[in-house]
Coordinates of all heavy atoms in Angstrom, one line a residue:
G7 N -7.5 12.6 2.2 CA -6.1 12.4 1.9 C -5.7 10.9 1.6 O -6.5 10.0 1.9
L8 N -4.5 10.7 1.2 CA -4.0 9.3 0.9 C -4.2 8.4 2.1 O -4.7 7.3 1.9 CB -2.6 9.4 0.4 CG -1.9 8.0 0.1 CD1 -2.7 7.2 -0.9 CD2 -0.5 8.3 -0.3
P9 N -3.8 8.8 3.3 CA -3.9 7.8 4.4 C -5.4 7.4 4.7 O -5.6 6.2 4.9 CB -3.3 8.6 5.6 CG -2.4 9.6 5.0 CD -3.1 10.0 3.7
Q10 N -6.3 8.3 4.7 CA -7.7 8.0 4.9 C -8.3 7.2 3.8 O -9.0 6.2 4.0 CB -8.5 9.3 5.1 CG -8.1 10.1 6.3 CD -6.9 11.0 6.1 OE1 -6.4 11.2 4.9 NE2 -6.2 11.4 7.2
W11 N -7.9 7.5 2.6 CA -8.4 6.8 1.4 C -7.8 5.3 1.5 O -8.6 4.4 1.2 CB -7.9 7.4 0.1 CG -8.3 6.6 -1.1 CD1 -9.4 6.6 -1.7 CD2 -7.4 5.6 -1.7 NE1 -9.4 5.7 -2.8 CE2 -8.2 5.1 -2.8 CE3 -6.1 5.2 -1.5 CZ2 -7.6 4.1 -3.6 CZ3 -5.6 4.2 -2.3 CH2 -6.4 3.7 -3.3
A12 N -6.6 5.2 1.9 CA -6.0 3.8 2.0 C -6.7 3.0 3.0 O -7.0 1.8 2.7 CB -4.5 3.9 2.3
Q13 N -7.1 3.6 4.1 CA -7.9 2.8 5.1 C -9.2 2.4 4.5 O -9.7 1.3 4.7 CB -8.1 3.7 6.3 CG -6.9 3.8 7.2 CD -7.1 4.7 8.4 OE1 -7.6 5.8 8.3 NE2 -6.9 4.1 9.6
W14 N -9.9 3.3 3.8 CA -11.1 3.0 3.1 C -11.0 1.8 2.1 O -11.7 0.9 2.1 CB -11.7 4.2 2.5 CG -12.9 4.0 1.7 CD1 -14.2 3.9 2.1 CD2 -13.0 3.7 0.3 NE1 -15.1 3.6 1.1 CE2 -14.4 3.4 0.0 CE3 -12.1 3.5 -0.7 CZ2 -14.8 3.1 -1.3 CZ3 -12.5 3.2 -2.0 CH2 -13.9 3.0 -2.3
L15 N -10.0 1.9 1.3 CA -9.8 0.9 0.3 C -9.4 -0.4 0.9 O -10.0 -1.5 0.5 CB -8.6 1.3 -0.7 CG -8.3 0.2 -1.7 CD1 -9.4 0.1 -2.7 CD2 -7.0 0.5 -2.4
Y16 N -8.6 -0.4 1.9 CA -8.2 -1.7 2.6 C -9.4 -2.4 3.2 O -9.4 -3.6 3.2 CB -7.2 -1.3 3.7 CG -6.4 -2.5 4.2 CD1 -5.3 -2.9 3.5 CD2 -6.7 -3.1 5.4 CE1 -4.5 -4.0 4.0 CE2 -5.9 -4.2 5.9 CZ -4.9 -4.6 5.1 OH -4.1 -5.6 5.6
A17 N -10.4 -1.7 3.5 CA -11.6 -2.3 4.1 C -12.6 -2.8 3.0 O -13.6 -3.5 3.3 CB -12.4 -1.3 4.9
R18 N -12.3 -2.5 1.7 CA -13.2 -3.0 0.6 C -13.1 -4.6 0.5 O -12.0 -5.1 0.7 CB -12.8 -2.4 -0.7 CG -12.9 -0.9 -0.8 CD -14.3 -0.3 -0.8 NE -15.3 -0.6 0.2 CZ -15.4 0.0 1.3 NH1 -14.7 1.0 1.7 NH2 -16.4 -0.3 2.2
P19 N -14.2 -5.2 0.2 CA -14.1 -6.7 0.1 C -13.1 -7.2 -0.9 O -13.0 -6.7 -2.0 CB -15.6 -7.1 -0.4 CG -16.4 -5.9 0.0 CD -15.5 -4.7 0.0
G20 N -12.3 -8.1 -0.4 CA -11.3 -8.8 -1.3 C -9.9 -8.0 -1.4 O -8.9 -8.6 -1.8
A21 N -9.9 -6.8 -1.0 CA -8.6 -6.0 -1.2 C -7.6 -6.4 -0.2 O -6.4 -6.7 -0.5 CB -8.9 -4.5 -1.1
A22 N -7.9 -6.5 1.1 CA -7.0 -6.8 2.2 C -6.3 -8.1 2.0 O -5.1 -8.2 2.1 CB -7.6 -6.7 3.6
P23 N -7.1 -9.2 1.7 CA -6.4 -10.5 1.5 C -5.4 -10.5 0.4 O -4.3 -11.1 0.5 CB -7.6 -11.5 1.3 CG -8.8 -10.8 1.8 CD -8.5 -9.3 1.7
L24 N -5.7 -9.9 -0.7 CA -4.8 -9.8 -1.8 C -3.5 -9.0 -1.5 O -2.4 -9.4 -1.8 CB -5.5 -9.3 -3.1 CG -6.5 -10.3 -3.7 CD1 -7.4 -9.6 -4.7 CD2 -5.8 -11.5 -4.3
L25 N -3.7 -7.8 -0.9 CA -2.6 -7.0 -0.5 C -1.7 -7.7 0.5 O -0.5 -7.7 0.4 CB -3.1 -5.7 0.1 CG -3.7 -4.7 -0.9 CD1 -4.5 -3.6 -0.2 CD2 -2.6 -4.1 -1.8
L26 N -2.3 -8.4 1.5 CA -1.5 -9.1 2.5 C -0.8 -10.4 1.9 O 0.3 -10.7 2.3 CB -2.4 -9.6 3.7 CG -2.9 -8.4 4.5 CD1 -3.8 -8.9 5.6 CD2 -1.7 -7.7 5.2
A27 N -1.5 -11.0 0.9 CA -0.8 -12.1 0.2 C 0.4 -11.6 -0.6 O 1.5 -12.2 -0.5 CB -1.8 -12.8 -0.8
L28 N 0.3 -10.4 -1.2 CA 1.5 -9.9 -1.9 C 2.6 -9.5 -0.9 O 3.7 -9.7 -1.1 CB 1.1 -8.6 -2.7 CG 0.4 -8.9 -4.0 CD1 -0.4 -7.8 -4.5 CD2 1.5 -9.3 -5.0
Q29 N 2.2 -9.0 0.3 CA 3.1 -8.7 1.3 C 3.8 -10.0 1.9 O 5.0 -10.1 2.0 CB 2.4 -8.0 2.5 CG 3.3 -7.7 3.7 CD 2.5 -7.1 4.8 OE1 2.2 -5.9 4.8 NE2 2.1 -7.9 5.8
D30 N 3.0 -10.9 2.3 CA 3.5 -12.1 3.0 C 4.1 -13.2 2.1 O 5.1 -13.8 2.4 CB 2.4 -12.7 3.9 CG 2.0 -11.8 5.0 OD1 2.7 -10.9 5.3 OD2 0.9 -12.0 5.5
E31 N 3.6 -13.3 0.9 CA 4.1 -14.4 0.0 C 5.1 -13.8 -1.0 O 6.0 -14.6 -1.5 CB 2.9 -15.0 -0.8 CG 1.9 -15.7 0.0 CD 0.7 -16.2 -0.8 OE1 0.9 -16.5 -2.0 OE2 -0.4 -16.2 -0.3
C32 N 5.1 -12.6 -1.3 CA 6.0 -12.0 -2.4 C 6.8 -10.9 -1.8 O 7.6 -10.3 -2.6 CB 5.1 -11.5 -3.5 SG 4.0 -12.8 -4.3
D33 N 6.8 -10.6 -0.6 CA 7.6 -9.6 0.1 C 7.4 -8.2 -0.6 O 8.3 -7.4 -0.7 CB 9.1 -10.0 0.0 CG 9.9 -9.3 1.1 OD1 9.3 -8.9 2.1 OD2 11.1 -9.0 0.9
E34 N 6.2 -7.9 -0.9 CA 5.8 -6.6 -1.5 C 5.5 -5.6 -0.4 O 5.1 -6.0 0.7 CB 4.7 -6.7 -2.5 CG 5.1 -7.3 -3.8 CD 6.2 -6.6 -4.6 OE1 6.3 -5.4 -4.4 OE2 6.9 -7.3 -5.3
D35 N 5.6 -4.3 -0.7 CA 5.2 -3.3 0.3 C 3.8 -2.8 0.0 O 3.6 -2.2 -1.1 CB 6.2 -2.1 0.1 CG 6.1 -1.1 1.2 OD1 5.0 -0.6 1.4 OD2 7.1 -0.7 1.8
V36 N 2.9 -3.0 0.9 CA 1.5 -2.7 0.7 C 1.4 -1.2 0.6 O 0.5 -0.7 -0.2 CB 0.6 -3.2 1.9 CG1 -0.8 -2.6 1.9 CG2 0.6 -4.7 1.9
L37 N 2.2 -0.4 1.2 CA 2.0 1.1 1.1 C 2.3 1.5 -0.3 O 1.6 2.4 -0.8 CB 2.9 1.8 2.1 CG 2.7 1.5 3.6 CD1 3.6 2.3 4.5 CD2 1.2 1.7 4.0
L38 N 3.3 0.9 -0.9 CA 3.6 1.3 -2.3 C 2.5 0.9 -3.2 O 2.2 1.6 -4.2 CB 5.0 0.7 -2.7 CG 6.2 1.3 -2.0 CD1 7.5 0.6 -2.5 CD2 6.3 2.8 -2.2
L39 N 1.9 -0.3 -3.0 CA 0.8 -0.7 -3.8 C -0.4 0.2 -3.7 O -1.1 0.5 -4.6 CB 0.5 -2.2 -3.5 CG 1.6 -3.2 -3.9 CD1 1.2 -4.6 -3.3 CD2 1.8 -3.2 -5.3
L40 N -0.7 0.6 -2.4 CA -1.8 1.5 -2.2 C -1.5 2.8 -2.9 O -2.4 3.4 -3.5 CB -2.0 1.7 -0.7 CG -2.6 0.5 0.1 CD1 -2.4 0.8 1.6 CD2 -4.0 0.3 -0.3
L41 N -0.3 3.3 -2.9 CA 0.1 4.5 -3.6 C -0.1 4.4 -5.1 O -0.6 5.3 -5.7 CB 1.6 4.8 -3.3 CG 2.1 6.1 -3.9 CD1 1.4 7.3 -3.4 CD2 3.6 6.2 -3.7
T42 N 0.2 3.2 -5.6 CA 0.0 3.1 -7.1 C -1.5 3.1 -7.4 O -1.8 3.7 -8.5 CB 0.6 1.7 -7.6 OG1 -0.1 0.6 -7.0 CG2 2.1 1.6 -7.3
I43 N -2.3 2.5 -6.6 CA -3.7 2.5 -6.9 C -4.3 4.0 -6.7 O -5.1 4.4 -7.6 CB -4.5 1.6 -5.9 CG1 -4.0 0.2 -6.1 CG2 -6.0 1.7 -6.1 CD1 -4.2 -0.8 -4.9
W44 N -3.8 4.7 -5.7 CA -4.2 6.1 -5.5 C -3.9 6.9 -6.8 O -4.7 7.7 -7.3 CB -3.5 6.6 -4.3 CG -3.5 8.1 -4.0 CD1 -2.6 9.0 -4.3 CD2 -4.6 8.8 -3.4 NE1 -3.0 10.2 -3.9 CE2 -4.2 10.2 -3.3 CE3 -5.8 8.5 -2.9 CZ2 -5.0 11.1 -2.8 CZ3 -6.6 9.4 -2.3 CH2 -6.2 10.8 -2.3
L45 N -2.7 6.7 -7.3 CA -2.2 7.4 -8.5 C -3.1 7.0 -9.7 O -3.5 7.9 -10.5 CB -0.8 7.1 -8.8 CG 0.2 7.8 -7.9 CD1 1.6 7.3 -8.1 CD2 0.2 9.3 -8.0
W46 N -3.4 5.7 -9.8 CA -4.2 5.3 -11.0 C -5.5 5.9 -11.0 O -6.0 6.3 -12.0 CB -4.3 3.7 -10.9 CG -5.3 3.2 -11.9 CD1 -5.1 3.1 -13.3 CD2 -6.5 2.7 -11.6 NE1 -6.2 2.6 -13.8 CE2 -7.1 2.3 -12.8 CE3 -7.3 2.5 -10.4 CZ2 -8.4 1.7 -12.9 CZ3 -8.5 1.9 -10.5 CH2 -9.1 1.6 -11.7
L47 N -6.2 6.0 -9.8 CA -7.5 6.6 -9.7 C -7.4 8.1 -10.2 O -8.4 8.6 -10.7 CB -8.0 6.6 -8.3 CG -8.6 5.3 -7.8 CD1 -8.9 5.3 -6.4 CD2 -9.8 4.9 -8.6
Q48 N -6.3 8.7 -10.1 CA -6.2 10.1 -10.5 C -5.6 10.1 -11.9 O -5.2 11.2 -12.4 CB -5.2 10.8 -9.5 CG -5.9 10.9 -8.2 CD -4.9 11.5 -7.2 OE1 -4.1 12.4 -7.5 NE2 -4.9 11.0 -6.0
R49 N -5.5 9.0 -12.6 CA -4.9 8.9 -13.9 C -3.5 9.4 -14.0 O -3.1 10.0 -15.0 CB -5.8 9.6 -14.9 CG -7.3 9.3 -14.9 CD -7.5 8.2 -16.0 NE -9.0 8.0 -16.1 CZ -9.6 6.9 -15.8 NH1 -8.9 5.9 -15.2 NH2 -10.9 6.7 -15.9
R50 N -2.7 9.0 -13.0 CA -1.3 9.4 -12.9 C -0.4 8.3 -12.6 O -0.9 7.3 -12.0 CB -1.1 10.5 -11.8 CG -2.0 11.7 -12.0 CD -1.8 12.8 -11.0 NE -1.8 12.3 -9.6 CZ -1.4 13.0 -8.6 NH1 -0.8 14.1 -8.7 NH2 -1.5 12.5 -7.4
A51 N 0.8 8.4 -12.9 CA 1.8 7.4 -12.5 C 3.2 8.0 -12.4 O 3.4 9.1 -12.9 CB 1.9 6.3 -13.6
L52 N 4.1 7.4 -11.7 CA 5.5 7.9 -11.6 C 6.3 7.2 -12.7 O 6.2 6.0 -12.9 CB 6.0 7.5 -10.2 CG 5.6 8.3 -9.0 CD1 6.1 7.6 -7.7 CD2 6.1 9.7 -9.1
P53 N 7.2 7.9 -13.3 CA 8.2 7.3 -14.2 C 9.1 6.4 -13.4 O 9.3 6.6 -12.2 CB 8.9 8.5 -14.8 CG 8.1 9.7 -14.5 CD 7.3 9.4 -13.3
A54 N 9.7 5.4 -14.1 CA 10.5 4.4 -13.5 C 11.7 5.0 -12.6 O 11.9 4.5 -11.5 CB 11.1 3.5 -14.6
P55 N 12.4 6.0 -13.0 CA 13.5 6.5 -12.2 C 12.9 7.1 -10.8 O 13.6 6.9 -9.8 CB 14.1 7.7 -13.0 CG 13.7 7.4 -14.4 CD 12.4 6.7 -14.3
Q56 N 11.7 7.7 -10.9 CA 11.2 8.2 -9.6 C 10.7 7.0 -8.7 O 10.8 7.1 -7.5 CB 10.0 9.1 -9.9 CG 10.5 10.4 -10.4 CD 9.5 11.5 -10.5 OE1 8.3 11.2 -10.7 NE2 9.9 12.7 -10.5
W57 N 10.2 5.9 -9.3 CA 9.9 4.7 -8.5 C 11.1 4.2 -7.8 O 11.0 3.8 -6.7 CB 9.3 3.6 -9.4 CG 7.8 3.7 -9.5 CD1 7.0 4.0 -10.6 CD2 6.8 3.7 -8.4 NE1 5.7 4.0 -10.3 CE2 5.5 3.9 -9.0 CE3 6.9 3.5 -7.0 CZ2 4.4 3.8 -8.2 CZ3 5.8 3.5 -6.3 CH2 4.5 3.6 -6.8
Q58 N 12.2 4.2 -8.5 CA 13.5 3.7 -7.9 C 13.8 4.5 -6.6 O 14.1 4.0 -5.6 CB 14.6 3.7 -8.9 CG 14.4 2.7 -10.0 CD 15.4 2.9 -11.1 OE1 16.1 3.8 -11.2 NE2 15.3 1.9 -12.1
A59 N 13.7 5.8 -6.7 CA 14.0 6.7 -5.6 C 13.0 6.5 -4.5 O 13.3 6.4 -3.3 CB 14.0 8.2 -6.1
L60 N 11.7 6.3 -4.9 CA 10.7 6.1 -3.9 C 10.9 4.8 -3.2 O 10.7 4.7 -1.9 CB 9.3 6.2 -4.5 CG 8.1 6.2 -3.6 CD1 8.2 7.3 -2.6 CD2 6.8 6.2 -4.4
H61 N 11.2 3.7 -3.9 CA 11.5 2.4 -3.3 C 12.6 2.5 -2.2 O 12.4 1.9 -1.2 CB 11.9 1.4 -4.4 CG 10.7 0.8 -5.1 ND1 10.1 -0.3 -4.7 CD2 10.1 1.2 -6.2 CE1 9.1 -0.6 -5.5 NE2 9.1 0.3 -6.5
L62 N 13.6 3.3 -2.5 CA 14.7 3.4 -1.6 C 14.3 4.2 -0.3 O 14.6 3.8 0.8 CB 15.9 4.1 -2.2 CG 16.6 3.3 -3.3 CD1 17.7 4.2 -3.9 CD2 17.3 2.1 -2.7
Q63 N 13.5 5.2 -0.5 CA 13.0 6.0 0.6 C 12.1 5.2 1.5 O 12.2 5.2 2.7 CB 12.3 7.3 0.1 CG 11.6 8.1 1.2 CD 10.7 9.2 0.7 OE1 10.9 9.6 -0.4 NE2 9.8 9.6 1.5
Q64 N 11.2 4.5 0.8 CA 10.2 3.7 1.5 C 10.9 2.5 2.3 O 10.5 2.1 3.4 CB 9.1 3.1 0.6 CG 8.2 2.2 1.2 CD 7.4 2.7 2.3 OE1 7.4 3.9 2.7 NE2 6.6 1.8 3.0
A65 N 11.9 1.9 1.7 CA 12.6 0.8 2.3 C 13.2 1.2 3.6 O 13.2 0.4 4.6 CB 13.7 0.2 1.3
A66 N 13.8 2.4 3.7 CA 14.4 2.9 4.9 C 13.4 3.0 6.0 O 13.6 2.5 7.2 CB 15.1 4.2 4.7

Side-chain angles (χ1 to χ4, degrees):
L8 175 57
Q10 297 79 18
W11 175 85
Q13 288 180 302
W14 174 85
L15 176 70
Y16 198 79
R18 303 284 54 89
L24 288 167
L25 288 166
L26 290 175
L28 280 159
Q29 173 184 282
D30 295 339
E31 297 176 32
C32 303
D33 201 28
E34 288 298 335
D35 189 310
V36 170
L37 299 185
L38 292 178
L39 294 173
L40 289 168
L41 180 65
T42 64
I43 299 161
W44 170 260
L45 287 169
W46 170 73
L47 282 171
Q48 297 173 36
R49 305 266 190 250
R50 303 183 307 163
L52 286 170
Q56 288 188 334
W57 269 117
Q58 292 168 354
L60 187 59
H61 279 268
L62 291 173
Q63 176 188 337
Q64 173 60 6

